[in-house]
Amino acid sequence: MKKNEIVNLEITDITSDGNGIGKYDGMAVFVPETAVGDLLEVKIVKVLKNYCFGIVHKVITPSADRIESDCPHFPKCGGCSFRHISYESEAKLKEKFVYDAFTRIGKIQTDFMPILSCENPDRYRNKAQYPVGISDNGNICGFYAKRSHRIMSGYDCKLLPEIFSDIAKLIINYTNHNDIPAYDEQTKKGLLRHIFIRQGYHSEELMICFVVTKRSETQFRQLCNDLTEKYSNIKSIVMNINPDNTNVILGKKTVVLYGANCISDIMCGNTVDIAPQAFYQVNTYQAEKLYQQAAEFAQLSGNELLLDLYCGAGTIGLSMADKVNKLIGVEIIPQAVENAQKNAALNKIENAEFICADAGKAAQELAKNNTKPDVIVLDPPRKGCDTNTLDAVVSMNPKKIVMISCNPATAARDCKILTENGYIVEKVRAVDLFPRTTHVECVVLISCM
Ligand code: SAH
């Protein structure tokens, strides 16, 4: 196979990073924005030793899964991977991504429950982080193009509430009329880097955070007045200072410009306060289903000691606190721990304690002190649990472990380690928190043998 060659290809599967896959002459060909069943003419763009990449040259017969994309930014924008297939077929694919990860990486055969799909696959996100940049016509904001740091100018995104684009537009207009320079990644000059917006799904409270390179409250004062006058739901405007040359969006320091340093929302019946630095599931509607599934797996009776590792602002543990004797949460981000403690108090939950520490270190310390949790919830970031954490979890010998993960591959790897240490994976369920993207969450029930 040679670069620029055109070949006929049938797409037989989709990989977990969203590429269609077909075989030509025994060689795997990966083609983005395709669907299972597509018959295509594919132009080869890159040839490697065992596989190659192509792009669609012509659709000969489209797959029955295909739909017309309803977003002008697709597929150039890096936000969505699946606007060209029906949501039903996307959900089926995601169910298979989770199944494949557990059976192939984890070598685990178990009860795979049907995916909890999302009834509202559009405008589900409660958080946006618009990158701000410079164009010939002044400051712009928008979305990163696929696999790049190039900003595509645009406000409306089908994954975000419509009010976010109105707010972002107002802010960019203001900066263009008031000489607030956007940060330029190339020259490292300028002030405004990102516009961060978060809205409580149930409360509808809004937080706006200007991510800037240096403190500059006075330049933003009138803008805050304009925003709060126009949008009565704004409960918090903050300025986050990030002077570093980095891809990480938020810096260490945050100052409040208006209202509080957090907004409130309702999560599984509890009032929760969330600071900008705190992790908060972006799809509240689906996250509540996920936490309910986790609670069903945990089958709590009221007597248990529950350990919630990687607890963020405490949302999962607190949703189960009335069904346990005691809850201990562990989280590494101090602001999130403060939120968790305050959230317990707000909801008059008196049997909860939160520790600000690395999950592995805290778990080892708890194990050393002979703490014996009956149930452990593990909800690690994408890279999964480290071996310290898993070792300590095993040594505490809980009857049940409920693992929640946004990365089925690392979840499967970690579950495999648990199965090698006296545990059995009883149930796995995919939950779609991120429609139109390749991401999928899963929840796993693991019991002591
Ligand atoms: N359970 C929470 C948060 C899950 S996201 C919820 O459902 O909202 C994963 C969390 O792990 C984040 O809050 C992140 O800050 C935290 N985290 C990442 N590395 C950690 C570590 N080494 N130790 C403890 N917490 C960590």
Side-chain angles (χ1 to χ4, degrees):
M1 198 117 52
K2 284 199 193 71
K3 192 172 165 180
N4 293 331
E5 194 178 333
I6 304 228
V7 298
N8 283 0
L9 199 74
E10 180 181 357
I11 299 298
T12 53
D13 203 356
I14 307 283
T15 62
S16 60
D17 54 7
N19 282 315
I21 176 164
K23 277 258 168 78
Y24 186 83
D25 239 359
M27 181 103 148
V29 186
F30 296 96
V31 195
E33 295 104 39
T34 55
V36 174
D38 274 348
L39 290 177
L40 307 167
E41 279 180 14
V42 167
K43 182 174 173 185
I44 302 299
V45 291
K46 190 172 184 181
V47 184
L48 292 142
K49 196 163 165 237
N50 299 316
Y51 56 95
C52 52
F53 290 94
I55 53 172
V56 177
H57 180 68
K58 188 176 157 197
V59 178
I60 304 167
T61 313
S63 153
D65 295 344
R66 275 191 181 261
I67 57 167
E68 206 53 56
S69 159
D70 56 357
C71 176
H73 307 298
F74 181 82
K76 289 199 184 78
C77 169
C80 292
S81 296
F82 295 133
R83 296 210 83 88
H84 63 298
I85 57 172
S86 70
Y87 179 65
E88 291 69 30
S89 48
E90 175 190 333
K92 279 282 157 229
L93 279 177
K94 288 180 169 177
E95 193 174 85
K96 188 170 167 294
F97 293 166
V98 171
Y99 175 85
D100 286 349
F102 276 79
T103 51
R104 291 183 191 164
I105 301 168
K107 311 267 180 258
I108 291 164
Q109 279 298 345
T110 183
D111 177 8
F112 289 95
M113 296 167 69
I115 187 166
L116 273 169
S117 56
C118 185
E119 291 90 338
N120 328 299
D122 280 329
R123 306 213 180 269
Y124 59 83
R125 283 186 63 96
N126 59 27
K127 180 175 107 175
Q129 302 179 112
Y130 292 93
V132 180
I134 298 164
S135 76
D136 293 342
N137 304 318
N139 295 343
I140 51 161
C141 80
F143 318 102
Y144 287 125
K146 214 162 248 174
R147 287 180 291 278
S148 96
H149 250 243
R150 188 171 56 77
I151 300 170
M152 296 167 48
S153 174
Y155 294 97
D156 192 34
C157 162
K158 284 260 157 41
L159 305 186
L160 298 173
E162 274 166 322
I163 193 171
F164 284 21
S165 58
D166 297 342
I167 291 173
K169 213 177 277 175
L170 189 157
I171 294 170
I172 290 298
N173 275 340
Y174 183 92
T175 63
N176 278 326
H177 288 109
N178 292 275
D179 293 326
I180 295 180
Y183 177 68
D184 181 347
E185 271 191 344
Q186 303 299 322
T187 63
K188 323 267 182 284
K189 291 208 171 75
L191 187 60
L192 184 59
R193 302 173 71 127
H194 277 87
I195 301 167
F196 172 124
I197 307 174
R198 197 179 238 171
Q199 182 171 39
Y201 175 78
H202 294 288
S203 69
E204 296 184 11
E205 289 187 11
L206 281 160
M207 163 181 281
I208 297 167
C209 171
F210 305 114
V211 185
V212 293
T213 49
K214 61 174 187 288
R215 268 185 95 147
S216 37
E217 286 100 313
T218 39
Q219 275 173 282
F220 285 80
R221 200 151 286 148
Q222 185 55 42
L223 174 58
C224 290
N225 291 343
D226 293 356
L227 283 165
T228 51
E229 232 163 67
K230 186 150 186 215
Y231 303 100
S232 58
N233 286 353
I234 294 178
K235 300 292 174 210
S236 166
I237 305 182
V238 299
M239 171 171 279
N240 175 276
I241 297 100
N242 186 355
D244 299 334
N245 174 21
T246 166
N247 283 347
V248 178
I249 294 177
L250 291 183
K252 289 198 184 77
K253 191 166 175 55
T254 306
V255 286
V256 177
L257 305 185
Y258 171 86
N261 181 37
C262 59
I263 50 166
S264 293
D265 197 16
I266 313 281
M267 188 75 177
C268 296
N270 285 324
T271 304
V272 290
D273 273 12
I274 321 131
Q277 296 84 354
F279 175 90
Y280 188 57
Q281 283 289 7
V282 294
N283 183 340
T284 314
Y285 180 79
Q286 286 297 97
E288 289 184 309
K289 283 196 210 164
L290 172 73
Y291 296 171
Q292 275 155 16
Q293 184 61 63
E296 260 172 55
F297 281 172
Q299 286 290 320
L300 300 161
S301 68
N303 301 319
E304 290 88 351
L305 171 60
L306 172 67
L307 177 60
D308 180 8
L309 291 178
Y310 310 94
C311 70
T315 41
I316 301 179
L318 291 174
S319 75
M320 301 178 183
D322 61 339
K323 297 180 203 82
V324 298
N325 178 37
K326 184 166 181 200
L327 160 69
I328 302 174
V330 179
E331 161 64 42
I332 204 162
I333 303 285
Q335 290 90 344
V337 177
E338 274 168 38
N339 287 161
Q341 283 158 342
K342 191 163 157 221
N343 292 336
L346 272 175
N347 297 287
K348 303 199 169 40
I349 294 171
E350 284 166 1
N351 59 343
E353 179 193 324
F354 293 95
I355 302 169
C356 185
D358 167 67
K361 288 207 180 101
Q364 279 177 332
E365 199 59 30
L366 289 166
K368 213 165 79 193
N369 297 335
N370 215 19
T371 308
K372 292 269 175 228
D374 302 283
V375 178
I376 298 183
V377 170
L378 291 171
D379 185 9
R382 286 190 67 74
K383 69 178 191 321
C385 299
D386 55 27
T387 42
N388 282 350
T389 313
L390 293 175
D391 286 349
V393 163
V394 167
S395 73
M396 286 186 276
N397 199 27
K399 287 190 271 308
K400 273 183 200 151
I401 300 167
V402 179
M403 186 184 288
I404 296 174
S405 171
C406 57
N407 186 343
T410 56
R413 176 201 70 197
D414 293 347
C415 282
K416 182 165 187 282
I417 295 173
L418 292 171
T419 59
E420 288 157 0
N421 286 278
Y423 283 86
I424 175 164
V425 172
E426 295 214 40
K427 285 175 193 294
V428 175
R429 186 159 209 186
V431 186
D432 191 13
L433 265 68
F434 316 104
R436 290 0 209 143
T437 77
T438 53
H439 296 286
V440 59
E441 197 90 8
C442 59
V443 51
V444 188
L445 171 61
I446 304 149
S447 304
C448 194
M449 272 201 267

